[in-house]
């Protein structure tokens, strides 16, 4: 019975059902009835752990995790923005090949950052110094993309961020062994299906940029096997099979592209995006163009098949 | 991210969201939302988890949804409709927890699995961490595979009836459910694939 106390207001007309109350509920009742602040009357340390209190604590923990996640997102977005700032034309192509999706504007980023700093402070969550500095400084004085990604990883190590880090390093042309980092991520269990596909795509782009056509082609094929409707992967397979002088491979990829084009129908945006992304990847690629590739392209163009000709002109 | 949520959420009764979201820091808003679930998030989470065929700790998703609502309440200006906005926060919370669970299951330094996994694991005579890994394996399967698994294994519905309802070949359905079972039994199989 020690958890229960008698309600001295049990006979109250306001709430006649309050005869016996558990202590915390009693406290709540008393504080509202007498207009007292719970904080002064019942110090938190004295309140017994109830279902509600435990739930509230767990919810606060989720809120803290969310703050950290938001800070990481802001740093990752900032890394993307910085990547686009001073990059050479080649790096810009790489960035486009690796990161699809729009960038935040500087104005939006600052607004979201200020919001996070304000609420982080109000919620008593530690906010990274780097974010506070960036909010006050000119965009030109921001740290490099690699440093920003490192700061994001310092907040919480996650496979998703490590993947983003490798991408940032690739765009900035850092010396690290990027493909081995991606392979390490691949062999772990931390990435879900969608991110594994995204990783495969990054690795394929990376191999193309390094001039390793066969490896890149193998990555794209793996991607096709896992996501049959990925038009970009089919387009890449076509492009690389031409580079390798592989006519059956090119024809097979063209057939698959034909099926995908039927599926897209009138949805022009999706189609255009896939062709545009392939063009960006193609511009970063350093896969050597052999005589065999030139001959195959010439033969396919001469064959007069509309789809093959169009693909050769667009992609090869 | 792994956003792969399907199906529309039916409308529920109108909620006076201003009363709960309009003032205070996220922590204060959250304290209001946790007490008694005034926005009906618990039911919404159950429905979204079932629609998307995910095996997650519903309580944790609920709390993350509430945290998301509290944190981003300042950005909500009455558009889109509150119900739609709430569903979006719920779906984001599901994606968050999916990612976190996947990383926790893969890590040897992960936090203790939540109570839901202990409850699931005890009658099966397995450890909570094993149950957590099994759930991650299920969640990583495609929607079609999970849908077949839920219908045939978890809901124990007759194969022919499910096939008729989903207008799908019974053998195909059975194969999909089996792929999920294999993923649970041999989660490492996926990683046998070597990168080029």
């Amino acid at each position: 019975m020690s958890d229960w106390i008698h309600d001295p207001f049990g006979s109250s007309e306001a709430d006649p059902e309050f005869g016996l109350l558990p202590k915390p509920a009693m406290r709540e009742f008393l504080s509202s009835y007498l207009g007292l602040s719970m904080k002064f009357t019942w110090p938190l340390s004295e309140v017994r752990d109830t279902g509600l209190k435990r739930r509230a604590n767990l919810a606060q923990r989720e809120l803290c995790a969310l703050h950290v996640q938001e800070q990481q997102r802001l740093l990752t977005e900032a890394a993307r923005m910085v990547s686009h700032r001073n990059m050479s034309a080649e790096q810009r192509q790489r960035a486009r090949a690796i990161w699809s999706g729009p960038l935040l504007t500087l104005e939006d980023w600052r607004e979201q950052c200020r919001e996070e700093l304000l609420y982080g402070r109000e919620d008593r969550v530690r906010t990274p110094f780097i974010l506070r500095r960036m909010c006050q400084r000119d965009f030109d004085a921001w740290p490099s993309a690699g440093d920003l990604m490192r700061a994001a990883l310092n907040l919480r190590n996650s496979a998703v961020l490590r993947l983003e880090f490798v991408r940032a390093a690739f765009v900035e042309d850092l010396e690290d062994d990027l493909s081995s980092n991606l392979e390490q991520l691949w062999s772990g269990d931390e990435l879900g299906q969608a991110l594994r596909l995204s990783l495969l795509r990054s690795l394929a782009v990376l191999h193309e940029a390094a001039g390793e056509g066969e490896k890149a082609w193998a990555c794209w094929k793996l991607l096709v096997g896992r996501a049959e409707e990925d038009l970009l992967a089919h387009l890449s397979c076509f492009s690389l099979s031409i580079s390798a002088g592989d006519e059956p491979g090119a024809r097979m990829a063209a057939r698959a592209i034909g099926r995908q084009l039927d599926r897209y129908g009138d949805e022009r945006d999706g189609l255009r995006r896939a062709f545009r992304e392939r063009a960006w990847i193609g511009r970063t690629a350093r896969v050597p163009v052999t005589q065999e590739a030139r001959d195959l392209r010439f033969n396919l163009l001469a064959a007069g098949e509309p789809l093959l000709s169009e693909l050769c002109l667009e992609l090869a | 991210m792994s956003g792969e949520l399907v199906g529309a959420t039916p409308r529920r009764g109108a909620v006076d969201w201003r009363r709960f979201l309009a003032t205070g820091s996220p922590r204060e808003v959250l304290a209001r939302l946790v007490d008694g679930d005034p926005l009906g998030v618990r039911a919404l989470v159950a429905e979204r988890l079932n629609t998307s065929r995910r095996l997650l700790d519903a309580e944790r998703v609920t709390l993350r949804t509430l945290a998301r609502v509290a944190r981003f309440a300042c950005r909500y200006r009455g558009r889109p409709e509150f119900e739609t906005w709430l569903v979006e926060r719920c779906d984001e919370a599901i994606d968050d927890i999916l990612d976190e669970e996947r990383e926790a299951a893969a890590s040897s330094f992960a936090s203790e699995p939540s109570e839901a996994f202990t409850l699931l694991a005890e009658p099966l005579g397995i450890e909570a961490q094993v149950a957590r890994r099994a759930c991650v394996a299920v969640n990583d399967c495609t929607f079609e595979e999970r849908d077949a698994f839920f219908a045939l294994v978890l809901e124990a519905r007759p194969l022919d009836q499910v096939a008729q309802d989903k207008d799908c070949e019974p053998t195909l359905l059975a194969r999909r459910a089996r792929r999920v079972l294999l993923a649970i039994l041999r989660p490492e199989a996926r990683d046998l694939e070597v990168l080029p």
Side-chain angles (χ1 to χ4, degrees), chain A residues 25-280:
Chain A
M26 181 66 182
R27 284 168 184 148
E28 231 172 85
F29 173 70
L30 281 174
S31 72
S32 61
Y33 192 90
L34 300 172
L36 295 173
S37 159
M38 290 253 300
K39 220 185 266 175
F40 294 109
T41 320
W42 316 102
L44 200 62
S45 56
E46 280 184 22
V47 179
R48 258 191 90 247
D49 200 33
T50 63
L52 175 62
K53 191 191 161 225
R54 187 165 170 269
R55 196 156 185 262
N57 282 341
L58 289 171
Q60 297 294 352
R61 206 199 292 174
E62 295 295 341
L63 182 62
C64 290
L66 192 59
H67 274 297
V68 174
Q69 192 183 317
E70 183 65 3
Q71 291 161 10
Q72 282 185 319
R73 188 189 65 80
L74 285 166
L75 287 166
T76 313
E77 287 291 340
R80 283 185 65 191
M81 288 157 69
V82 168
S83 284
H84 278 75
R85 183 185 54 195
N86 293 328
M87 57 177 54
S88 62
E90 189 185 340
Q91 285 173 328
R92 199 173 291 270
Q93 297 297 346
R94 287 177 177 204
R96 281 175 170 166
I98 284 282
W99 280 310
S100 49
L103 280 175
L104 274 182
T105 63
L106 185 59
E107 200 180 318
D108 285 347
W109 188 91
R110 282 195 195 282
E111 194 185 323
Q112 291 175 17
C113 187
R114 275 194 290 269
E115 180 192 286
E116 175 53 33
L117 292 176
L118 171 71
Y119 287 137
R121 198 167 50 237
E122 283 189 0
D123 289 347
R124 297 190 291 278
V125 175
R126 207 160 63 100
T127 47
F129 184 63
I130 193 169
L131 276 182
R132 273 176 274 158
R133 287 290 293 274
M134 284 164 71
C135 232
Q136 292 155 357
R137 281 187 167 191
D138 281 347
F139 182 49
D140 289 339
W142 282 13
S144 71
D147 286 345
L148 289 169
M149 289 306 303
R150 254 178 232 114
L153 270 170
N154 278 341
L155 287 176
R156 191 177 68 93
N157 193 344
S158 85
V160 179
L161 272 179
R162 287 208 300 282
L163 179 57
E164 287 297 315
F165 181 75
V166 177
R167 285 170 169 164
F170 167 63
V171 170
E172 291 205 339
D173 214 4
L174 298 180
E175 291 300 314
D176 301 41
D177 189 357
L178 302 177
S179 59
S180 77
N181 285 338
L182 285 179
E183 278 154 20
Q184 209 180 335
L185 275 173
W186 176 267
S187 59
D189 271 339
E190 301 129 298
L191 295 178
Q193 273 306 327
L195 280 166
R196 290 174 81 79
L197 295 181
S198 170
L199 184 151
L200 261 181
R201 186 184 150 176
S202 300
L203 192 62
V205 174
L206 217 121
H207 283 319
E208 280 200 60
E212 303 200 50
E214 277 194 23
K215 281 187 176 179
W217 192 12
C219 283
W220 286 119
K221 279 199 246 183
L222 215 54
L223 202 56
V224 163
R226 285 169 168 244
E228 212 178 309
E229 67 282 4
D230 188 335
L231 180 58
L232 175 67
H234 288 296
L235 294 175
S236 303
C237 279
F238 179 83
S239 186
L240 287 164
S241 51
I242 296 278
S243 301
D246 178 354
E247 186 173 343
R251 285 186 177 278
M252 201 163 85
R255 275 196 298 277
I257 292 168
R259 283 196 297 274
Q260 293 306 311
L261 294 183
D262 291 341
R263 198 176 65 81
Y264 272 86
D266 289 335
E267 202 217 308
R268 294 277 156 214
D269 282 353
L271 263 181
R272 264 198 288 269
R273 195 181 323 118
F275 274 90
R276 200 170 48 225
E277 283 181 14
R278 180 57 226 169
W280 286 332

Side-chain angles (χ1 to χ4, degrees), chain A residues 2-17:
Chain A
S2 64
D3 286 339
W4 298 78
I5 48 180
H6 184 255
D7 176 15
F9 310 100
S11 57
S12 152
E13 283 178 16
D15 201 337
E17 284 180 19

